[in-house]
Amino acid sequence: MRKIILFIVLALGIPAAVAAQEFPRHQLRAGWGDMLFESLAFPKAARAQGGKGFTGHLFAGYQYQLNKVVSLGGQLDFQAIRMADMDNFDLAVMPTVRFTYLRTPWVELHSGVAVGVLLAFDNKGGAEFSPALDLNFVGIQLGNGPLTAGLDLGMLNALSGGSKIYLLGARLVSVSLNYQF
């Protein structure tokens, strides 16, 4: 009987506590970003020879809203560049911080930064690590409820010293589907 009473109290109390929040604390994102840098750096793949080409940047992330302005989280970014002679892949893992400067019931504006590591590897056994930096100059989130859509303008960079450029100004435009609770 105690378990049933505890379950009822929790079932009624948790939604009320969540509804009392001024904003959702958790957000999951999944999205796609453009590959302008890659299409300029790898013109053979841009022509999609042999049915190959680019995946674009596929990304997923999580953010925890600390207060009305600051949220912390992390993101994974993956892309493939498939050429006739070799396939190249990039996987970035980056902790993130985001600053929300406008929050209305239907629109949110934010900016952010992520710093982490990029693993560049290919289908012939090559692999290298590089520092990665993702700058989100301005992002907009549209929607009122648990599901929202996002559009971000920024740039993902990965440079190793001054001589190796893995990404420079990649993922200039990103779109995402977000779930917040």
Side-chain angles (χ1 to χ4, degrees):
M1 184 67 171
R2 287 183 187 176
K3 290 181 182 179
I4 294 172
I5 293 172
L6 178 62
F7 176 77
I8 292 171
V9 169
L10 289 174
L12 296 174
I14 289 174
V18 170
Q21 293 180 8
E22 296 177 29
F23 48 85
R25 292 284 183 180
H26 308 276
Q27 183 182 71
L28 299 172
R29 295 179 50 184
W32 178 87
D34 74 89
M35 60 277 179
L36 179 63
F37 168 80
E38 293 83 356
S39 63
L40 295 173
F42 301 98
K44 286 184 181 179
R47 290 191 291 270
Q49 296 177 352
K52 297 185 176 189
F54 305 106
T55 60
H57 290 265
L58 306 171
F59 64 91
Y62 168 79
Q63 290 293 123
Y64 177 77
Q65 194 76 38
L66 293 174
N67 54 43
K68 288 183 179 183
V69 176
V70 178
S71 65
L72 300 175
Q75 69 172 299
L76 296 173
D77 181 281
F78 174 81
Q79 72 157 343
I81 303 168
R82 305 195 65 214
M83 297 181 283
D85 57 341
M86 180 183 290
D87 295 338
N88 296 296
F89 307 96
D90 295 316
L91 176 65
V93 179
M94 300 173 286
T96 61
V97 61
R98 186 167 68 187
F99 305 98
T100 302
Y101 41 88
L102 174 69
R103 185 187 304 274
T104 70
W106 285 92
V107 177
E108 177 184 294
L109 294 177
H110 59 265
S111 296
V113 63
V115 177
V117 65
L118 174 97
L119 170 61
F121 59 100
D122 59 47
N123 62 340
K124 299 198 179 193
E128 296 181 7
F129 287 96
S130 173
L133 171 67
D134 183 34
L135 300 172
N136 180 356
F137 301 119
V138 64
I140 185 169
Q141 183 174 301
L142 302 172
N144 185 5
L147 288 177
T148 63
L151 173 72
D152 294 314
L153 304 175
M155 59 189 295
L156 176 58
N157 305 286
L159 309 163
S160 184
S163 60
K164 288 193 177 182
I165 299 173
Y166 298 98
L167 300 171
L168 184 60
R171 209 172 106 183
L172 297 172
V173 178
S174 300
V175 293
S176 65
L177 184 60
N178 314 311
Y179 177 72
Q180 52 192 18
F181 54 100

